[in-house]
Amino acid sequence: MLKITNLQKKFGDFEAVSDINLEVEKGNFFSIIGPNGSGKTTIIKSILGLLTPEEGEITINGESIVDNPIKAKSKMGYIPDEPKIWNHITGEEFLYFIGALYGMKKEEVESKIPKLLDHFNLSGIEKKYFENYSRGNKQKFTILGALLHTPKLILVDEPIVGLDPDSAEKAMHLLSEFTKEGGTVFMATHTLQVAEEFSDKVGILHDGRLTETGSIDELRKKMGKEDASLIEIYHNFN
Amino acid sequence: MDNFIDYYIKKTKRYFKKNSKARIIVALLMIAAIALLSVSIFLLTRSGLESTQIGDDPFMPQAAPLYIYQIFLLIVGLLIFASTVIFTLFSFFNRDNLDHWIMATPRYDTLSWVKFFRALIDSSWPLIILAIPLLLAVKSVFEISFGLFLFTLLVVVAFSLFCSASAVVLIFLISSVMRKMKIKSFSILAFTIVAVTALLGAVAWSRTVAMDINQIFQIAEGDAATLDAMKSNFAVLPSHFPAMTLHYVQTEKIGAALMPGGLTFALFLAVVFLFSIIKKKFLYFWQVFQEGSFEAKAEREVKKSPLSGKKFPRTPEQVIFKKERLNSIRSPKNIFWFSFLFILMLVQVGVINLLERYVGIAGPEAVSGLTSAIQLGVIIFFTAALILRFIFPSFSQEGNTSWLIGSTPIDLKTIFNTKYLFYCLVLVPASILAVILYAVPLAGGSEALLLILFAVVGVLTLTMLGLSMGVVFVNFETDDPQKLSTSAPGIGFTLISLIYGGATAVIIDRILTLQNPLPIFFFLLLSFLIYKISKSKALRSLDDMEFV
């Protein structure tokens, strides 16, 4: 589903990420973990086409994000770490906009919205402006926006920041359900417990380079400790 | 108070510490742009005042300058008033940077004074651009002494401060009444202020545009030529006092000048006194605004989705168009700024018309072609101001939501073209309206199409230039239109627009005066080149645009 080959991205002389190679299969939940400034967001933004890599290739379901960005983007949904939306648009309108941008029909959007709103108990506030929402509610709408058009791949940057514990759990279960239905999730996070609970595979990023990738069991074997937690694995390979 | 002054001084110093060269250049460019405008106004008014001194009639050399002072100072007052209304509504109770002040300072009411003085200073630009050049022109034409010039300057400054302070007090008074009536709706506050401002505008209108100029100048046969009619006509307006001060200074009646000058100071002090009483409610108003039920961020609900029915967007262009429309019409700040600049444009054009009416009365032949050219230049200049405020920053303002426009399957070029179309659909009718209202009646019907053609081409060209410069010099670090439009590229756009507007005025003047159509082709070629070059640069920048 997602293939990254020899990805390199620089900001001036600073090499943000380099020599990134990984493949995420359809239906997988892949988490990339690493300290602040290790390059997680840079990788996600490169996959989305928000940044143009210096070298390497990224394909989504066979479509190159550089050569064919519109087709590649139409297969993706994105949940950013900062849920900033146009201030004077309501939550409901935001979902309609997303639907329209991805070529959905009005009836299709209409039928999906009530179900989506129910996931986070957002019914009743969907007609208020975004500027009136709390950070958590803004985040919930961006999660729903990513799920609305049933993409093949969802990219998530710190999904539960700003969410209350119940909503965080719901958000993670929604993403988990999404993979069970054949979707793919690529998540960047600091929250190792979440990554450990939901991920099929993890990648450990350090100073812009992937130090290890694999399932948690595979990484435990490599580490030589069968009952190692992800925190221990993370410290071992970091 | 010392702490606040210290804060602003340190803030200014900090501003110049980072990227100091670039910021000094920006500051110098701003000064250059203001100086250019002020010098133009000075030259225009000086030549206007000089023309009033020609001829044997002893009455006109006194009456005509007084008429110019009355109109000029009235406009200055209205501009300052409107500018302060906008500042007060959107900045006086702004939460940004205020929370810690409100919490930290034991005497939070000091903050109301700080904000009050900031309102006075921030809204004083018409004083620099219009009033001071007028005073310098008076000094130059009538050779008044430096001491008297200083006196008139102080009176005009007091008048400016009075206009500004009145706007603040008005908003506080309306808020106070609303508090008693337990009304917390921002819309009602805004509507009431607009209604009061419109009422003031109507009074000004009734005393200027609606007046028979022959009556003001007592032109009718048999009338004794005195200034009484003019004085009684303008006496209800506060601008009358500084205007009379100028008149008495010009005619060397220094003793008489003290009365209207003193009254101007008294008016200002009275309003400040009123503020010192009413400001005690500042904390209450501030708190209500922060609850989100009163200010620009009022909690509002959209009862019916505008995306319903046949209006559901089907293409990316339609989505972006709808987004631009909703964001524009739902932002009170945008609506206020747009209305403000648009009304300013109409007022400015109206002033030139009023002066032109005087030209017809005073003797020299009415040079309608030249007036139309100046009008067109003014319209293009104000259109450029609208572009600078709304269109130039529009791509940078997408920075916060760049994840959305960048990650969805929509081409950035589509966004660029849609924004261009959207803004042209707003600005082209506005400029045509302005041309029809003012320039066309002066030049006559035959030139109407030509003037409209020039206005439309000018708007299409400058909109492309503003949008393109906003893309080429995109800045995702801020979404504040004020910061973006006062950056070096913003000022660069202003300067190019000024030159373009000036060139357009000269070209149209040549065409109307010499009846020679050749300059039309030069204008069209110039516009086409600006359009083409800026668009191609912008599209190239979009190819390389990154959302860091």
Side-chain angles (χ1 to χ4, degrees):
Chain A
M1 169 55 58
L2 169 67
K3 194 174 177 188
I4 302 176
T5 316
N6 289 328
L7 175 70
Q8 187 200 35
K9 176 66 196 167
K10 282 181 173 180
F11 296 110
D13 292 334
F14 173 68
E15 200 174 62
V17 291
S18 158
D19 201 22
I20 304 290
N21 289 284
L22 63 85
E23 200 165 339
V24 183
E25 287 162 20
K26 184 175 180 276
N28 259 8
F29 197 123
F30 187 95
S31 294
I32 195 151
I33 55 176
N36 290 333
S38 58
K40 300 187 295 292
T41 302
T42 301
I43 292 177
I44 286 199
K45 285 191 169 180
S46 301
I47 298 170
L48 283 161
L50 295 170
L51 296 174
T52 312
E54 263 68 42
E55 277 180 34
E57 192 179 27
I58 299 167
T59 58
I60 297 100
N61 210 22
E63 301 290 353
S64 163
I65 189 67
V66 175
D67 299 334
N68 209 345
I70 302 295
K71 269 196 174 176
K73 286 178 184 183
S74 66
K75 298 176 197 301
M76 290 189 278
Y78 176 43
I79 304 168
D81 55 342
E82 280 290 331
K84 288 182 176 167
I85 312 284
W86 304 302
N87 277 341
H88 300 101
I89 300 289
T90 68
E92 185 187 45
E93 285 166 346
F94 164 69
L95 294 175
Y96 273 96
F97 275 132
I98 292 286
L101 279 172
Y102 284 88
M104 291 172 77
K105 287 185 177 166
K106 188 189 170 196
E107 297 74 30
E108 206 182 339
V109 181
E110 248 167 14
S111 66
K112 276 191 158 187
I113 283 181
K115 282 184 205 165
L116 286 171
L117 293 175
D118 281 348
H119 284 305
F120 289 117
N121 294 324
L122 291 171
S123 300
I125 66 159
E126 76 275 20
K127 288 185 187 297
K128 286 185 177 170
Y129 287 172
F130 248 92
E131 66 178 6
N132 297 136
Y133 295 149
S134 66
R135 191 194 188 285
N137 282 340
K138 286 179 184 171
Q139 182 76 341
K140 289 172 195 171
F141 272 104
T142 61
I143 293 170
L144 300 184
L147 289 166
L148 176 74
H149 56 99
T150 44
K152 293 188 186 304
L153 168 68
I154 292 183
L155 295 138
V156 197
D157 199 352
E158 294 297 352
I160 60 169
V161 174
L163 294 182
D164 59 78
D166 280 351
S167 303
E169 200 181 333
K170 273 183 195 164
M172 291 314 299
H173 278 291
L174 273 173
L175 292 173
S176 181
E177 282 297 310
F178 173 73
T179 57
K180 281 174 193 159
E181 287 163 14
T184 308
V185 171
F186 185 93
M187 177 174 80
T189 186
H190 289 124
T191 323
L192 298 184
Q193 295 91 325
V194 170
E196 187 169 11
E197 188 181 344
F198 292 95
S199 309
D200 298 308
K201 283 187 176 180
V202 293
I204 299 171
L205 199 62
H206 186 71
D207 283 345
R209 287 169 191 272
L210 267 177
T211 52
E212 278 300 336
T213 52
S215 70
I216 293 176
D217 281 342
E218 285 167 352
L219 295 176
R220 280 175 182 143
K221 276 180 194 164
K222 274 189 187 174
M223 190 183 159
K225 192 178 174 189
E226 295 293 314
D227 60 345
S229 68
L230 188 55
I231 295 175
E232 288 172 302
I233 295 170
Y234 172 75
H235 286 303
N236 184 66
F237 290 111
N238 218 328
Chain B
M1 185 64 93
D2 288 351
N3 289 342
F4 288 116
I5 294 168
D6 196 34
Y7 168 80
Y8 281 115
I9 291 170
K10 280 183 180 160
K11 196 178 166 188
T12 312
K13 279 183 183 169
R14 268 201 303 275
Y15 175 81
F16 284 106
K17 265 185 186 168
K18 200 179 166 191
N19 298 330
S20 42
K21 267 188 189 170
R23 285 178 171 176
I24 288 169
I25 290 170
V26 170
L28 290 175
L29 277 172
M30 270 192 82
I31 293 168
I34 291 169
L36 192 67
L37 269 173
S38 305
V39 169
S40 309
I41 297 289
F42 167 73
L43 294 174
L44 194 75
T45 44
R46 191 180 63 177
S47 120
L49 288 171
E50 275 169 352
S51 74
T52 64
Q53 302 304 302
I54 303 166
D56 301 329
D57 182 1
F59 173 66
M60 272 301 174
Q62 285 193 24
L66 178 59
Y67 180 69
I68 292 174
Y69 305 152
Q70 296 278 11
I71 299 290
F72 230 87
L73 290 169
L74 177 63
I75 296 301
V76 168
L78 282 173
L79 290 180
I80 290 176
F81 184 87
S83 190
T84 316
V85 164
I86 291 183
F87 175 89
T88 310
L89 275 181
F90 296 107
S91 301
F92 216 99
F93 307 104
N94 195 335
R95 188 179 188 133
D96 300 341
N97 303 322
L98 282 188
D99 277 12
H100 60 286
W101 281 9
I102 289 276
M103 283 183 289
T105 174
R107 292 184 62 201
Y108 55 78
D109 62 330
T110 310
L111 188 60
S112 58
W113 279 118
V114 172
K115 281 281 175 181
F116 179 69
F117 288 124
R118 274 214 58 190
L120 303 194
I121 294 165
D122 281 25
S123 310
S124 65
W125 59 271
L127 179 74
I128 298 159
I129 290 171
L130 294 171
I132 293 178
L134 170 74
L135 294 182
L136 288 169
V138 173
K139 183 180 183 318
S140 163
V141 174
F142 301 107
E143 293 172 354
I144 59 172
S145 69
F146 181 74
L148 285 175
F149 168 75
L150 210 60
F151 171 66
T152 54
L153 178 66
L154 286 174
V155 171
V156 171
V157 168
F159 167 67
S160 307
L161 296 175
F162 161 76
C163 295
S164 195
S166 305
V168 179
V169 168
L170 173 74
I171 291 178
F172 269 62
L173 278 173
I174 294 171
S175 304
S176 189
V177 172
M178 285 174 68
R179 177 195 175 190
K180 280 188 180 145
M181 295 168 76
K182 294 185 178 169
I183 300 169
K184 292 183 175 181
S185 160
F186 177 78
S187 308
I188 292 176
L189 175 68
F191 178 79
T192 315
I193 289 163
V194 168
V196 173
T197 311
L199 192 70
L200 293 174
V203 173
W205 182 275
S206 71
R207 297 288 156 169
T208 52
V209 183
M211 278 303 294
D212 180 0
I213 200 145
N214 289 326
Q215 198 184 322
I216 294 178
F217 279 91
Q218 296 184 307
I219 298 291
E221 213 172 305
D223 274 349
T226 69
L227 292 172
D228 292 347
M230 193 182 300
K231 283 180 190 171
S232 68
N233 179 60
F234 290 106
V236 292
L237 304 167
S239 51
H240 178 63
F241 303 117
M244 285 310 293
T245 311
L246 266 178
H247 167 72
Y248 287 132
V249 167
Q250 173 212 316
T251 51
E252 295 171 354
K253 293 172 186 161
I254 312 304
L258 290 174
M259 176 61 98
L263 273 171
T264 312
F265 278 107
L267 278 175
F268 169 58
L269 292 176
V271 180
V272 173
F273 177 69
L274 207 56
F275 179 78
S276 72
I277 297 169
I278 206 162
K279 80 167 176 51
K280 286 170 188 159
K281 289 170 187 163
F282 171 67
L283 184 64
Y284 170 81
F285 295 139
W286 193 87
Q287 283 167 342
V288 171
F289 294 168
Q290 305 319 310
E291 284 167 18
S293 57
F294 202 24
E295 203 231 356
K297 287 185 179 177
E299 271 218 11
R300 278 169 291 174
E301 277 198 6
V302 177
K303 298 285 178 206
K304 192 184 170 198
S305 170
L307 302 174
S308 60
K310 288 176 187 171
K311 291 175 182 171
F312 186 71
R314 296 186 185 282
T315 62
E317 286 87 350
Q318 288 174 2
V319 177
I320 297 301
F321 197 91
K322 199 166 275 282
K323 186 274 285 185
E324 292 292 335
R325 189 173 70 81
L326 291 181
N327 259 332
S328 302
I329 61 172
R330 286 179 181 173
S331 161
K333 206 169 185 172
N334 281 352
I335 295 289
F336 260 87
W337 267 110
F338 183 83
S339 316
F340 175 62
L341 285 172
F342 184 64
I343 290 167
L344 197 62
M345 173 168 76
L346 297 184
V347 165
Q348 191 71 24
V349 176
V351 171
I352 298 171
N353 269 16
L354 284 173
L355 295 175
E356 199 275 343
R357 282 169 72 189
Y358 154 72
V359 170
I361 295 283
E365 297 259 320
V367 275
S368 62
L370 178 65
T371 316
S372 291
I374 294 171
Q375 301 286 44
L376 197 65
V378 168
I379 289 167
I380 288 180
F381 171 71
F382 275 100
T383 307
L386 283 166
I387 293 169
L388 184 67
R389 173 62 181 72
F390 293 99
I391 302 172
F392 175 77
S394 76
F395 243 88
S396 298
Q397 285 181 301
E398 299 285 2
N400 274 335
T401 51
S402 60
W403 67 270
L404 184 56
I405 60 164
S407 67
T408 46
I410 179 166
D411 193 349
L412 289 178
K413 287 170 189 164
T414 305
I415 298 173
F416 178 84
N417 290 328
T418 312
K419 275 180 183 281
Y420 180 68
L421 178 69
F422 174 79
Y423 288 117
C424 283
L425 283 175
V426 176
L427 290 181
V428 167
S431 62
I432 291 177
L433 181 70
V435 172
I436 290 173
L437 280 178
Y438 293 108
V440 172
L442 291 172
S446 58
E447 279 95 13
L449 279 175
L450 188 68
L451 290 173
I452 289 171
L453 170 80
F454 268 63
V456 171
V457 171
V459 170
L460 294 178
T461 307
L462 287 181
T463 303
M464 180 53 80
L465 178 72
L467 187 63
S468 298
M469 284 184 77
V471 168
V472 174
F473 301 103
V474 73
N475 176 6
F476 290 137
E477 283 178 18
T478 178
D479 59 357
D480 181 351
Q482 201 182 343
K483 276 186 188 165
L484 290 163
S485 52
T486 51
S487 62
I491 292 165
F493 169 77
T494 309
L495 290 176
I496 296 172
S497 307
L498 281 174
I499 295 165
Y500 179 79
T504 308
V506 171
I507 289 170
I508 198 93
D509 179 51
R510 293 295 87 194
I511 295 167
L512 294 177
T513 313
L514 305 175
Q515 297 291 315
N516 178 2
L518 260 181
I520 297 176
F521 299 106
F522 176 72
F523 171 71
L524 291 176
L525 181 68
L526 175 73
S527 304
F528 176 75
L529 284 176
I530 293 174
Y531 177 95
K532 201 71 189 162
I533 292 169
S534 36
K535 186 173 182 181
S536 97
K537 290 261 179 205
L539 294 182
R540 226 173 297 155
S541 296
L542 285 175
D543 282 337
D544 303 328
M545 189 172 278
E546 289 196 323
F547 301 97
V548 180

